[in-house]
Amino acid sequence: MIEGYELTAETPSVTDYLRLRLNAGLSTKAEANAVAGLPNTWFAVVVRRDGQAVGMGRIIGDGGLFFQIVDMAIEPAHQGRGLGKAIMAALMDRLRGEARGAYVSLIADGEANRLYAQYGFEPTTPKSIGMAQVIC
C-alpha cells in the first residue's frame, strides 16, 4: 500500500459511503438506500489516512455468475497518488481468487476507463451498450 495509507477489506460505513460519493463527485444516494444496500456488498475495501476513510471500492453481485464493480471513490485531496490502482488491485485479486468464470462489469465515469483498462476491462460497444435508469 502507499505510504501513509491503509487499505482494509471492509464495507464502508453509511456515513463514509455517502461522504465519499459526494466528495468524489459521484451521484448522491439516499441514506435509507445506503442502509439497505451496503450490507449486500460481496466484497469491499476502504482506504484510510490517519483513521479517516479517504477512498473506497465495492463489488456487488450474485456470488457466482455476475458481479459489478461500483462505488470507486477517492477524496479529491488524495487523488493522483495511486489509490485507485490499489483499490482496483484488491478488488481484482478477490475476483480472480473466488469468481473464476464470472462476468464482471462496471461503468467508467469520465476518464476512469483508462484505469479500468489496466485491469483488463474493455468497452462492450458495439456488441452491447450499457444502459441505466434511476428509479424516482
Side-chain angles (χ1 to χ4, degrees), residues 7-82:
L7 184 145
T8 56
E10 64 176 292
T11 300
S13 70
V14 170
T15 302
D16 287 339
Y17 174 81
L18 296 173
R19 177 182 51 79
L20 287 169
R21 282 190 62 87
L22 178 67
N23 292 349
L26 301 178
S27 60
T28 59
K29 300 293 181 189
E31 182 176 347
N33 291 31
V35 167
L38 287 173
N40 297 306
T41 300
W42 184 75
F43 180 72
V45 296
V46 174
V47 176
R48 285 190 168 66
R49 173 135 190 167
D50 299 325
Q52 168 94 13
V54 298
M56 67 176 176
R58 294 190 316 130
I59 302 170
I60 59 173
D62 64 12
L65 298 171
F66 296 96
F67 295 91
Q68 187 169 32
I69 294 175
V70 296
D71 301 323
M72 289 286 295
I74 299 167
E75 289 275 359
H78 299 275
Q79 293 176 0
R81 300 178 187 192

